[in-house]
Amino acid sequence: MAIPTAVTPVAEIFELRWKVLRPGLPEETAVFPEDSAPGTFHIAAYDGSRAVRACVTFFPEPLPGSGGRTPAHRFRGMASDPSVRGRGFGRAVLAAGIAEARSRGAGAVWCHGRTGARGFYEREGFTVVGEEFEIEGVGPHVVLTRALGDGAD
């Protein structure tokens, strides 16, 4: 059975984002400057009771080092409730976000992914670009990119 997803207001995904990505830190650390910027959208994945179990935020931003040649969307704040990890919620929310970004003209998507999630992103067709780097208070990350094809991916 397919996991339901939807474009949703940031308020609907915020609690999950904060609890999973910024545990023990003040709520404001989970507020992103892009949350209300033009072109930003938020995706939620739901369980059978309509509880948000995964989320992600996408926004237009050129690929690093591309000179803006390829229209791209960056995503951040991707989180899955620990109680449903490994059950497809992360994959569902990412796929829905990629489809929405493509419909808005993106030719690529990218993120600063936690190194612990690198394998997940690589299984989803992403490639690491450059070296690992540290985001203070959050941990080691890498830049991951994925070109978007004709809609078959």
Side-chain angles (χ1 to χ4, degrees):
M1 181 168 83
I3 294 171
T5 61
V7 174
T8 189
V10 69
E12 187 163 337
I13 66 163
F14 186 80
E15 184 176 355
L16 179 65
R17 179 201 286 175
W18 172 52
K19 287 182 175 181
V20 172
L21 300 178
R22 303 294 193 267
L25 296 175
E27 282 188 22
E28 60 269 14
T29 64
V31 174
F32 302 153
E34 303 86 6
D35 281 340
S36 59
T40 296
F41 61 92
H42 312 278
I43 302 281
Y46 305 93
D47 67 12
S49 67
R50 290 291 293 170
V52 175
R53 296 299 182 190
C55 64
V56 66
T57 296
F58 280 78
F59 49 94
E61 186 173 316
L63 287 166
S66 73
R69 290 183 299 277
T70 301
H73 274 61
R74 178 180 171 192
F75 63 96
R76 66 184 300 194
M78 186 164 163
S80 293
D81 186 317
S83 71
V84 298
R85 293 236 173 97
R87 293 178 36 202
F89 285 86
R91 177 174 285 141
V93 79
L94 182 60
I98 289 170
E100 183 68 21
R102 180 186 289 111
S103 78
R104 295 178 183 215
V109 293
W110 68 280
C111 71
H112 291 161
R114 293 173 190 246
T115 56
R118 178 179 175 166
F120 167 79
Y121 290 117
E122 288 177 331
R123 286 189 300 278
E124 296 304 313
F126 286 80
T127 303
V128 172
V129 177
E131 300 298 318
E132 184 178 293
F133 59 94
E134 185 81 17
I135 295 179
E136 186 177 339
V138 181
H141 283 66
V142 291
V143 173
L144 293 132
T145 66
R146 179 174 159 185
L148 303 183
D150 60 7
D153 55 356

